[in-house]
Amino acid sequence: MSGGLLVAGTTSDAGKSVVTAGICRWLARKGAKVAPFKGQNMSLNSFVTRGGAEIGRAQAMQAQAARVEPTALMNPVLLKPGSDRSSQVVLMGRPVGEMSARGYHGNRQKELFEPVTACLAELRRDYDAVICEGAGSPAEINLRRTDIVNMGIARAARFPVVVVGDIDRGGVFAQFFGTTALLSPEDQELVAGYLVNKFRGDVTLLEPGLEMLRGLTGRRTFGVLPYAHGLGIDEEDGLRVSLRGAVRESVVAPPVGEDVLRVAVCAVPLMSNFTDVDALAAEPGVVVRFVDRPEELVDADLVVVPGTRGTVRALEWLRSRGLADALLRRAAEGRPVLGICGGFQVLGERIEDEVESRAGTVEGLGLLPVRVRFAADKTLARPVGSALGEPVEGYEIHHGVAEVLGGEPFLDGCRVGAVWGTHWHGSLEGDAFRRAFLARVARDAGRRFVPAPDTSFGALREEQLDRLGDLIEEHADTDALLRLIEDGVPAGLPFVPPGAP
C-alpha cells in the first residue's frame, strides 16, 4: 500500500477529526504503517511531542489511533487564538509570532505552503499511507488563494478527497452538492465522493437521496456512519468533555463509595487544554461540569481553574463574574481548588506580563505563594516526577515562569491547604496519581467518595479509538477507500457547475 487521502468536511465539526482517526485505526489494524496529517490547525488544545514540539491534540490522538509516535510533521502549522482577530502562529512545534487574521491569510500563509508540503512529502516517504484532515470547508472561496490545508494540499499531493457531512444537523445533500459546485474544475477533479456522518434511523430511507446525489454530481457515497454517542477525540475547541459521554454510556457504573464527587471547571475565556478534566470524568462517580457563575461552585467538591491562552483576561473575567470571590471563600473554608497552567498562574500573588496581554504587573488571587513573570520564549516540556507517593508525568505549554515562594511542593508548583497549582497538563491521566488525588479531594471535601481501583484511562482511550475504527470497518466501503488510497483519484469525475467564481 502507498498513497493517501484527504478527509474534508462540509462544515467545521462535521466529523473530519473523528473520521480521520477512525481510518487511521482501521488501517493500523490491517498492518499498514499510517500517519495522520493536518497542514494547519486552529486550536487551543495542544500537546507536546517527545521531541518537544507543540502540535494540536487532535493530531496527537490520531497518531495514537495509527499506533505511531506523534511528531511536528503531522501538524506543521498550529494557530492558537489570542482574541477574535489574532493568533499565535506555531511552526514546526515552535511559536514564530502573533498575527492578525488578515496578516496571516495574506503573504504569511503563502510563505508556509512550501514547508507544509515538505512535511507531507517526508511523511509519504516514511509511511505506507498518509490520511490528511482538512479544516473548516474546502468551499471557503474567500480563502482558497492561500489555502494550505484543504484543496491546496490535495492538489499539491494529487490526493483524492472524501467530503464528510453531519446529517444530524440537517441539509447534508445541499451541503455535499454546494461544496462540490463551488470548487474550481481543477479542485473538483479530486473530489472522489462523500461520507455521511451521525445518521439516525433506517439507512434504506436515505439511499434514494444518495442515488439522486450521485446522479447530480457523478460521485458516490463511501459510507453512512451511524450516530454513536460519546465518540470523539480530544476536542479542538468548544465546551464538551470528550470522554465523559463515552464512559457514561459504555460503562454504567455506580460510585464505589457512598458519594459521588462533583467537579466544577471554570469556563474561563480562551480556555486551553480543558481535556485535562477528561480523566476525571472517566472515573465512576465523578460528575464534571463547566460553570460560569459563582453559585455553581457552592456544591462542588473540587473546582478546577483550567489553562488559558489569556491569563490576565481570565483573571479579570473571574473577578467580574464573582467567581474570584467564590474561590477565595472556598480556600478560606479549606475546600479543594486545582489550578492548571494559566489557572495555576491566576491563583498566585502577582503576574508580570509584557508578552501575552502586555498588561504589566497585575495582582493575582493570592491563594498560592507564587509570582509569575511572562517570558518571550515558550516552555515546551515533557516532565516526569512524583506526587502523593505516586509517579506522575505530563507536558508543559506556557510563557509564564513561576517563582514558588512557599507552600508544600506539588509537581512544579505548590499546595497550600486544599489549594493546588501546577503547570503540568495531563498529570491526571496517570491512574495511580489520579486515584490518590481524588481520595485526598474527597477527604478534604468531606465526601464518602472512593476512587474505583481499576479505572484505566489509557485503556478507555484505546477502547474509544477502536470504536472509531469499528465505525469505518463496519459502515464504510473499505474496499473502495483502499482503492482511493492506493490508486488515487478516479478518472472521469464530471464537473458540477457553476464552479468557483
Side-chain angles (χ1 to χ4, degrees), residues 59-80:
Q59 279 61 66
M61 287 294 290
Q62 288 163 353
Q64 185 175 345
R67 295 175 176 156
V68 297
E69 189 68 29
T71 72
L73 294 172
M74 298 171 184
N75 179 207
V77 178
L78 173 64
L79 305 179
K80 303 194 73 176

mmCIF file with all atom_site columns, all heavy atoms in Angstrom, residues 59-80:
data_model
loop_
_atom_site.group_PDB
_atom_site.id
_atom_site.type_symbol
_atom_site.label_atom_id
_atom_site.label_alt_id
_atom_site.label_comp_id
_atom_site.label_asym_id
_atom_site.label_entity_id
_atom_site.label_seq_id
_atom_site.pdbx_PDB_ins_code
_atom_site.Cartn_x
_atom_site.Cartn_y
_atom_site.Cartn_z
_atom_site.occupancy
_atom_site.B_iso_or_equiv
_atom_site.pdbx_formal_charge
_atom_site.auth_seq_id
_atom_site.auth_comp_id
_atom_site.auth_asym_id
_atom_site.auth_atom_id
_atom_site.pdbx_PDB_model_num
ATOM 1   N N   . GLN A 1 59 ? -4.293 15.824 16.411 1.00 0.00 ? 59 GLN A N   1
ATOM 2   C CA  . GLN A 1 59 ? -3.300 15.072 15.643 1.00 0.00 ? 59 GLN A CA  1
ATOM 3   C C   . GLN A 1 59 ? -2.534 14.094 16.532 1.00 0.00 ? 59 GLN A C   1
ATOM 4   O O   . GLN A 1 59 ? -2.166 13.007 16.094 1.00 0.00 ? 59 GLN A O   1
ATOM 5   C CB  . GLN A 1 59 ? -2.329 16.023 14.939 1.00 0.00 ? 59 GLN A CB  1
ATOM 6   C CG  . GLN A 1 59 ? -2.878 16.610 13.651 1.00 0.00 ? 59 GLN A CG  1
ATOM 7   C CD  . GLN A 1 59 ? -4.137 17.439 13.887 1.00 0.00 ? 59 GLN A CD  1
ATOM 8   O OE1 . GLN A 1 59 ? -4.091 18.482 14.529 1.00 0.00 ? 59 GLN A OE1 1
ATOM 9   N NE2 . GLN A 1 59 ? -5.277 16.966 13.399 1.00 0.00 ? 59 GLN A NE2 1
ATOM 10  N N   . ALA A 1 60 ? -2.312 14.472 17.793 1.00 0.00 ? 60 ALA A N   1
ATOM 11  C CA  . ALA A 1 60 ? -1.672 13.533 18.718 1.00 0.00 ? 60 ALA A CA  1
ATOM 12  C C   . ALA A 1 60 ? -2.549 12.306 18.928 1.00 0.00 ? 60 ALA A C   1
ATOM 13  O O   . ALA A 1 60 ? -2.051 11.170 18.959 1.00 0.00 ? 60 ALA A O   1
ATOM 14  C CB  . ALA A 1 60 ? -1.389 14.226 20.054 1.00 0.00 ? 60 ALA A CB  1
ATOM 15  N N   . MET A 1 61 ? -3.868 12.508 19.057 1.00 0.00 ? 61 MET A N   1
ATOM 16  C CA  . MET A 1 61 ? -4.771 11.379 19.228 1.00 0.00 ? 61 MET A CA  1
ATOM 17  C C   . MET A 1 61 ? -4.903 10.560 17.955 1.00 0.00 ? 61 MET A C   1
ATOM 18  O O   . MET A 1 61 ? -5.015 9.339  17.993 1.00 0.00 ? 61 MET A O   1
ATOM 19  C CB  . MET A 1 61 ? -6.136 11.881 19.683 1.00 0.00 ? 61 MET A CB  1
ATOM 20  C CG  . MET A 1 61 ? -6.159 12.350 21.118 1.00 0.00 ? 61 MET A CG  1
ATOM 21  S SD  . MET A 1 61 ? -5.863 10.996 22.277 1.00 0.00 ? 61 MET A SD  1
ATOM 22  C CE  . MET A 1 61 ? -7.380 10.081 22.112 1.00 0.00 ? 61 MET A CE  1
ATOM 23  N N   . GLN A 1 62 ? -4.868 11.227 16.788 1.00 0.00 ? 62 GLN A N   1
ATOM 24  C CA  . GLN A 1 62 ? -4.893 10.482 15.532 1.00 0.00 ? 62 GLN A CA  1
ATOM 25  C C   . GLN A 1 62 ? -3.639 9.628  15.387 1.00 0.00 ? 62 GLN A C   1
ATOM 26  O O   . GLN A 1 62 ? -3.700 8.509  14.864 1.00 0.00 ? 62 GLN A O   1
ATOM 27  C CB  . GLN A 1 62 ? -5.036 11.453 14.363 1.00 0.00 ? 62 GLN A CB  1
ATOM 28  C CG  . GLN A 1 62 ? -6.417 12.074 14.258 1.00 0.00 ? 62 GLN A CG  1
ATOM 29  C CD  . GLN A 1 62 ? -6.463 13.306 13.379 1.00 0.00 ? 62 GLN A CD  1
ATOM 30  O OE1 . GLN A 1 62 ? -5.431 13.795 12.921 1.00 0.00 ? 62 GLN A OE1 1
ATOM 31  N NE2 . GLN A 1 62 ? -7.645 13.843 13.146 1.00 0.00 ? 62 GLN A NE2 1
ATOM 32  N N   . ALA A 1 63 ? -2.505 10.147 15.856 1.00 0.00 ? 63 ALA A N   1
ATOM 33  C CA  . ALA A 1 63 ? -1.275 9.346  15.843 1.00 0.00 ? 63 ALA A CA  1
ATOM 34  C C   . ALA A 1 63 ? -1.427 8.132  16.748 1.00 0.00 ? 63 ALA A C   1
ATOM 35  O O   . ALA A 1 63 ? -0.977 7.023  16.405 1.00 0.00 ? 63 ALA A O   1
ATOM 36  C CB  . ALA A 1 63 ? -0.080 10.197 16.273 1.00 0.00 ? 63 ALA A CB  1
ATOM 37  N N   . GLN A 1 64 ? -2.061 8.326  17.905 1.00 0.00 ? 64 GLN A N   1
ATOM 38  C CA  . GLN A 1 64 ? -2.309 7.179  18.777 1.00 0.00 ? 64 GLN A CA  1
ATOM 39  C C   . GLN A 1 64 ? -3.229 6.182  18.085 1.00 0.00 ? 64 GLN A C   1
ATOM 40  O O   . GLN A 1 64 ? -3.042 4.967  18.208 1.00 0.00 ? 64 GLN A O   1
ATOM 41  C CB  . GLN A 1 64 ? -2.918 7.630  20.101 1.00 0.00 ? 64 GLN A CB  1
ATOM 42  C CG  . GLN A 1 64 ? -3.087 6.490  21.091 1.00 0.00 ? 64 GLN A CG  1
ATOM 43  C CD  . GLN A 1 64 ? -3.576 6.946  22.454 1.00 0.00 ? 64 GLN A CD  1
ATOM 44  O OE1 . GLN A 1 64 ? -3.534 8.128  22.778 1.00 0.00 ? 64 GLN A OE1 1
ATOM 45  N NE2 . GLN A 1 64 ? -4.035 6.016  23.264 1.00 0.00 ? 64 GLN A NE2 1
ATOM 46  N N   . ALA A 1 65 ? -4.224 6.689  17.356 1.00 0.00 ? 65 ALA A N   1
ATOM 47  C CA  . ALA A 1 65 ? -5.095 5.795  16.597 1.00 0.00 ? 65 ALA A CA  1
ATOM 48  C C   . ALA A 1 65 ? -4.298 5.001  15.565 1.00 0.00 ? 65 ALA A C   1
ATOM 49  O O   . ALA A 1 65 ? -4.575 3.825  15.315 1.00 0.00 ? 65 ALA A O   1
ATOM 50  C CB  . ALA A 1 65 ? -6.198 6.592  15.911 1.00 0.00 ? 65 ALA A CB  1
ATOM 51  N N   . ALA A 1 66 ? -3.293 5.652  14.970 1.00 0.00 ? 66 ALA A N   1
ATOM 52  C CA  . ALA A 1 66 ? -2.447 4.991  13.971 1.00 0.00 ? 66 ALA A CA  1
ATOM 53  C C   . ALA A 1 66 ? -1.363 4.139  14.610 1.00 0.00 ? 66 ALA A C   1
ATOM 54  O O   . ALA A 1 66 ? -0.613 3.466  13.903 1.00 0.00 ? 66 ALA A O   1
ATOM 55  C CB  . ALA A 1 66 ? -1.812 6.041  13.072 1.00 0.00 ? 66 ALA A CB  1
ATOM 56  N N   . ARG A 1 67 ? -1.245 4.200  15.946 1.00 0.00 ? 67 ARG A N   1
ATOM 57  C CA  . ARG A 1 67 ? -0.237 3.458  16.710 1.00 0.00 ? 67 ARG A CA  1
ATOM 58  C C   . ARG A 1 67 ? 1.182  3.876  16.338 1.00 0.00 ? 67 ARG A C   1
ATOM 59  O O   . ARG A 1 67 ? 2.080  3.049  16.198 1.00 0.00 ? 67 ARG A O   1
ATOM 60  C CB  . ARG A 1 67 ? -0.431 1.952  16.540 1.00 0.00 ? 67 ARG A CB  1
ATOM 61  C CG  . ARG A 1 67 ? -1.749 1.447  17.115 1.00 0.00 ? 67 ARG A CG  1
ATOM 62  C CD  . ARG A 1 67 ? -2.004 -0.009 16.844 1.00 0.00 ? 67 ARG A CD  1
ATOM 63  N NE  . ARG A 1 67 ? -3.235 -0.446 17.512 1.00 0.00 ? 67 ARG A NE  1
ATOM 64  C CZ  . ARG A 1 67 ? -3.967 -1.493 17.115 1.00 0.00 ? 67 ARG A CZ  1
ATOM 65  N NH1 . ARG A 1 67 ? -3.599 -2.194 16.054 1.00 0.00 ? 67 ARG A NH1 1
ATOM 66  N NH2 . ARG A 1 67 ? -5.055 -1.824 17.774 1.00 0.00 ? 67 ARG A NH2 1
ATOM 67  N N   . VAL A 1 68 ? 1.357  5.191  16.175 1.00 0.00 ? 68 VAL A N   1
ATOM 68  C CA  . VAL A 1 68 ? 2.680  5.744  15.906 1.00 0.00 ? 68 VAL A CA  1
ATOM 69  C C   . VAL A 1 68 ? 2.912  6.922  16.843 1.00 0.00 ? 68 VAL A C   1
ATOM 70  O O   . VAL A 1 68 ? 1.977  7.477  17.417 1.00 0.00 ? 68 VAL A O   1
ATOM 71  C CB  . VAL A 1 68 ? 2.833  6.193  14.435 1.00 0.00 ? 68 VAL A CB  1
ATOM 72  C CG1 . VAL A 1 68 ? 2.695  5.011  13.487 1.00 0.00 ? 68 VAL A CG1 1
ATOM 73  C CG2 . VAL A 1 68 ? 1.827  7.282  14.078 1.00 0.00 ? 68 VAL A CG2 1
ATOM 74  N N   . GLU A 1 69 ? 4.164  7.305  16.996 1.00 0.00 ? 69 GLU A N   1
ATOM 75  C CA  . GLU A 1 69 ? 4.519  8.426  17.860 1.00 0.00 ? 69 GLU A CA  1
ATOM 76  C C   . GLU A 1 69 ? 4.223  9.738  17.140 1.00 0.00 ? 69 GLU A C   1
ATOM 77  O O   . GLU A 1 69 ? 4.626  9.936  15.995 1.00 0.00 ? 69 GLU A O   1
ATOM 78  C CB  . GLU A 1 69 ? 6.008  8.354  18.203 1.00 0.00 ? 69 GLU A CB  1
ATOM 79  C CG  . GLU A 1 69 ? 6.459  9.330  19.265 1.00 0.00 ? 69 GLU A CG  1
ATOM 80  C CD  . GLU A 1 69 ? 5.910  9.030  20.643 1.00 0.00 ? 69 GLU A CD  1
ATOM 81  O OE1 . GLU A 1 69 ? 5.647  7.839  20.960 1.00 0.00 ? 69 GLU A OE1 1
ATOM 82  O OE2 . GLU A 1 69 ? 5.727  10.000 21.409 1.00 0.00 ? 69 GLU A OE2 1
ATOM 83  N N   . PRO A 1 70 ? 3.507  10.676 17.779 1.00 0.00 ? 70 PRO A N   1
ATOM 84  C CA  . PRO A 1 70 ? 3.221  11.955 17.123 1.00 0.00 ? 70 PRO A CA  1
ATOM 85  C C   . PRO A 1 70 ? 4.485  12.787 16.960 1.00 0.00 ? 70 PRO A C   1
ATOM 86  O O   . PRO A 1 70 ? 5.371  12.780 17.816 1.00 0.00 ? 70 PRO A O   1
ATOM 87  C CB  . PRO A 1 70 ? 2.231  12.636 18.072 1.00 0.00 ? 70 PRO A CB  1
ATOM 88  C CG  . PRO A 1 70 ? 2.432  11.978 19.395 1.00 0.00 ? 70 PRO A CG  1
ATOM 89  C CD  . PRO A 1 70 ? 2.877  10.582 19.108 1.00 0.00 ? 70 PRO A CD  1
ATOM 90  N N   . THR A 1 71 ? 4.565  13.514 15.843 1.00 0.00 ? 71 THR A N   1
ATOM 91  C CA  . THR A 1 71 ? 5.692  14.406 15.581 1.00 0.00 ? 71 THR A CA  1
ATOM 92  C C   . THR A 1 71 ? 5.168  15.713 15.006 1.00 0.00 ? 71 THR A C   1
ATOM 93  O O   . THR A 1 71 ? 4.014  15.815 14.582 1.00 0.00 ? 71 THR A O   1
ATOM 94  C CB  . THR A 1 71 ? 6.683  13.793 14.572 1.00 0.00 ? 71 THR A CB  1
ATOM 95  O OG1 . THR A 1 71 ? 6.096  13.801 13.255 1.00 0.00 ? 71 THR A OG1 1
ATOM 96  C CG2 . THR A 1 71 ? 7.062  12.370 14.940 1.00 0.00 ? 71 THR A CG2 1
ATOM 97  N N   . ALA A 1 72 ? 6.058  16.707 14.941 1.00 0.00 ? 72 ALA A N   1
ATOM 98  C CA  . ALA A 1 72 ? 5.685  18.008 14.388 1.00 0.00 ? 72 ALA A CA  1
ATOM 99  C C   . ALA A 1 72 ? 5.320  17.902 12.915 1.00 0.00 ? 72 ALA A C   1
ATOM 100 O O   . ALA A 1 72 ? 4.571  18.745 12.401 1.00 0.00 ? 72 ALA A O   1
ATOM 101 C CB  . ALA A 1 72 ? 6.825  19.009 14.581 1.00 0.00 ? 72 ALA A CB  1
ATOM 102 N N   . LEU A 1 73 ? 5.821  16.906 12.212 1.00 0.00 ? 73 LEU A N   1
ATOM 103 C CA  . LEU A 1 73 ? 5.490  16.739 10.792 1.00 0.00 ? 73 LEU A CA  1
ATOM 104 C C   . LEU A 1 73 ? 3.991  16.564 10.586 1.00 0.00 ? 73 LEU A C   1
ATOM 105 O O   . LEU A 1 73 ? 3.471  16.900 9.519  1.00 0.00 ? 73 LEU A O   1
ATOM 106 C CB  . LEU A 1 73 ? 6.220  15.524 10.218 1.00 0.00 ? 73 LEU A CB  1
ATOM 107 C CG  . LEU A 1 73 ? 7.739  15.585 10.125 1.00 0.00 ? 73 LEU A CG  1
ATOM 108 C CD1 . LEU A 1 73 ? 8.298  14.226 9.720  1.00 0.00 ? 73 LEU A CD1 1
ATOM 109 C CD2 . LEU A 1 73 ? 8.180  16.652 9.140  1.00 0.00 ? 73 LEU A CD2 1
ATOM 110 N N   . MET A 1 74 ? 3.305  16.043 11.575 1.00 0.00 ? 74 MET A N   1
ATOM 111 C CA  . MET A 1 74 ? 1.885  15.732 11.429 1.00 0.00 ? 74 MET A CA  1
ATOM 112 C C   . MET A 1 74 ? 0.988  16.958 11.557 1.00 0.00 ? 74 MET A C   1
ATOM 113 O O   . MET A 1 74 ? -0.183 16.905 11.190 1.00 0.00 ? 74 MET A O   1
ATOM 114 C CB  . MET A 1 74 ? 1.488  14.665 12.457 1.00 0.00 ? 74 MET A CB  1
ATOM 115 C CG  . MET A 1 74 ? 2.225  13.360 12.251 1.00 0.00 ? 74 MET A CG  1
ATOM 116 S SD  . MET A 1 74 ? 1.949  12.188 13.595 1.00 0.00 ? 74 MET A SD  1
ATOM 117 C CE  . MET A 1 74 ? 3.037  10.834 13.086 1.00 0.00 ? 74 MET A CE  1
ATOM 118 N N   . ASN A 1 75 ? 1.517  18.040 12.102 1.00 0.00 ? 75 ASN A N   1
ATOM 119 C CA  . ASN A 1 75 ? 0.767  19.294 12.218 1.00 0.00 ? 75 ASN A CA  1
ATOM 120 C C   . ASN A 1 75 ? 1.756  20.458 12.174 1.00 0.00 ? 75 ASN A C   1
ATOM 121 O O   . ASN A 1 75 ? 2.053  21.062 13.196 1.00 0.00 ? 75 ASN A O   1
ATOM 122 C CB  . ASN A 1 75 ? -0.054 19.316 13.511 1.00 0.00 ? 75 ASN A CB  1
ATOM 123 C CG  . ASN A 1 75 ? -0.855 20.589 13.722 1.00 0.00 ? 75 ASN A CG  1
ATOM 124 O OD1 . ASN A 1 75 ? -1.136 20.968 14.844 1.00 0.00 ? 75 ASN A OD1 1
ATOM 125 N ND2 . ASN A 1 75 ? -1.232 21.259 12.650 1.00 0.00 ? 75 ASN A ND2 1
ATOM 126 N N   . PRO A 1 76 ? 2.275  20.768 10.988 1.00 0.00 ? 76 PRO A N   1
ATOM 127 C CA  . PRO A 1 76 ? 3.350  21.768 10.903 1.00 0.00 ? 76 PRO A CA  1
ATOM 128 C C   . PRO A 1 76 ? 2.937  23.180 11.290 1.00 0.00 ? 76 PRO A C   1
ATOM 129 O O   . PRO A 1 76 ? 3.770  23.955 11.746 1.00 0.00 ? 76 PRO A O   1
ATOM 130 C CB  . PRO A 1 76 ? 3.790  21.697 9.445  1.00 0.00 ? 76 PRO A CB  1
ATOM 131 C CG  . PRO A 1 76 ? 2.674  21.023 8.717  1.00 0.00 ? 76 PRO A CG  1
ATOM 132 C CD  . PRO A 1 76 ? 2.023  20.113 9.697  1.00 0.00 ? 76 PRO A CD  1
ATOM 133 N N   . VAL A 1 77 ? 1.661  23.537 11.113 1.00 0.00 ? 77 VAL A N   1
ATOM 134 C CA  . VAL A 1 77 ? 1.204  24.880 11.470 1.00 0.00 ? 77 VAL A CA  1
ATOM 135 C C   . VAL A 1 77 ? 0.039  24.766 12.451 1.00 0.00 ? 77 VAL A C   1
ATOM 136 O O   . VAL A 1 77 ? -0.979 24.141 12.151 1.00 0.00 ? 77 VAL A O   1
ATOM 137 C CB  . VAL A 1 77 ? 0.762  25.696 10.240 1.00 0.00 ? 77 VAL A CB  1
ATOM 138 C CG1 . VAL A 1 77 ? 0.254  27.073 10.667 1.00 0.00 ? 77 VAL A CG1 1
ATOM 139 C CG2 . VAL A 1 77 ? 1.894  25.832 9.239  1.00 0.00 ? 77 VAL A CG2 1
ATOM 140 N N   . LEU A 1 78 ? 0.221  25.364 13.627 1.00 0.00 ? 78 LEU A N   1
ATOM 141 C CA  . LEU A 1 78 ? -0.825 25.409 14.640 1.00 0.00 ? 78 LEU A CA  1
ATOM 142 C C   . LEU A 1 78 ? -1.107 26.869 14.962 1.00 0.00 ? 78 LEU A C   1
ATOM 143 O O   . LEU A 1 78 ? -0.184 27.637 15.249 1.00 0.00 ? 78 LEU A O   1
ATOM 144 C CB  . LEU A 1 78 ? -0.373 24.672 15.904 1.00 0.00 ? 78 LEU A CB  1
ATOM 145 C CG  . LEU A 1 78 ? -1.302 24.756 17.131 1.00 0.00 ? 78 LEU A CG  1
ATOM 146 C CD1 . LEU A 1 78 ? -2.637 24.089 16.845 1.00 0.00 ? 78 LEU A CD1 1
ATOM 147 C CD2 . LEU A 1 78 ? -0.624 24.123 18.348 1.00 0.00 ? 78 LEU A CD2 1
ATOM 148 N N   . LEU A 1 79 ? -2.363 27.265 14.889 1.00 0.00 ? 79 LEU A N   1
ATOM 149 C CA  . LEU A 1 79 ? -2.784 28.624 15.232 1.00 0.00 ? 79 LEU A CA  1
ATOM 150 C C   . LEU A 1 79 ? -3.505 28.574 16.570 1.00 0.00 ? 79 LEU A C   1
ATOM 151 O O   . LEU A 1 79 ? -4.475 27.833 16.742 1.00 0.00 ? 79 LEU A O   1
ATOM 152 C CB  . LEU A 1 79 ? -3.720 29.191 14.161 1.00 0.00 ? 79 LEU A CB  1
ATOM 153 C CG  . LEU A 1 79 ? -3.189 29.188 12.720 1.00 0.00 ? 79 LEU A CG  1
ATOM 154 C CD1 . LEU A 1 79 ? -4.248 29.752 11.777 1.00 0.00 ? 79 LEU A CD1 1
ATOM 155 C CD2 . LEU A 1 79 ? -1.899 29.969 12.611 1.00 0.00 ? 79 LEU A CD2 1
ATOM 156 N N   . LYS A 1 80 ? -3.018 29.384 17.535 1.00 0.00 ? 80 LYS A N   1
ATOM 157 C CA  . LYS A 1 80 ? -3.623 29.421 18.861 1.00 0.00 ? 80 LYS A CA  1
ATOM 158 C C   . LYS A 1 80 ? -4.242 30.799 19.075 1.00 0.00 ? 80 LYS A C   1
ATOM 159 O O   . LYS A 1 80 ? -3.526 31.787 19.294 1.00 0.00 ? 80 LYS A O   1
ATOM 160 C CB  . LYS A 1 80 ? -2.565 29.131 19.927 1.00 0.00 ? 80 LYS A CB  1
ATOM 161 C CG  . LYS A 1 80 ? -1.860 27.794 19.732 1.00 0.00 ? 80 LYS A CG  1
ATOM 162 C CD  . LYS A 1 80 ? -1.077 27.387 20.966 1.00 0.00 ? 80 LYS A CD  1
ATOM 163 C CE  . LYS A 1 80 ? -2.014 26.947 22.070 1.00 0.00 ? 80 LYS A CE  1
ATOM 164 N NZ  . LYS A 1 80 ? -1.272 26.444 23.256 1.00 0.00 ? 80 LYS A NZ  1
#
